[in-house]
Amino acid sequence: QVQLVESGGGSVQPGGSLSLSCAASGSIFSINAMGWYRQAPGKERELVATITSDGSTNSADSVKGRFTISRDNALNTVHMQMNSLKPEDTAVYYCNAYIHTDSRVWGVYWGQGTQVTVSA
């Protein structure tokens, strides 16, 4: 059994900052990529940023220069610092991880989602 538990998020005014964290726990042998996706009302879920176990990152053009993703491999956690937030960043943010379980099975796992609201 593997779980991803998110924390952070909330409401902020445009230009403000928020941070998200996600911790993976359970029958984990290793974790490849971890990342964040988001889904705004009426829209498809989209990639925000990802990070591999060796620290390589990828992010959506819309968040480049504003969001920073990082991870702690020892703690199986991923974090995202979000600065200069815009109303269009409003969405439910989901943690995602590609995990090799103790049973030696690879799988994609998702957190429960956390709301980020940016409004004046």
Side-chain angles (χ1 to χ4, degrees), residues 17-58:
S17 298
L18 286 172
S19 63
L20 302 178
S21 293
C22 173
S25 63
S27 303
I28 297 170
F29 179 72
S30 66
I31 303 178
N32 190 339
M34 301 185 81
W36 295 93
Y37 287 70
R38 67 186 181 188
Q39 187 166 20
K43 294 190 175 182
E44 300 275 322
R45 189 173 298 190
E46 63 176 3
L47 179 147
V48 180
T50 60
I51 183 167
T52 62
S53 56
D54 64 0
S56 297
T57 63
N58 179 45

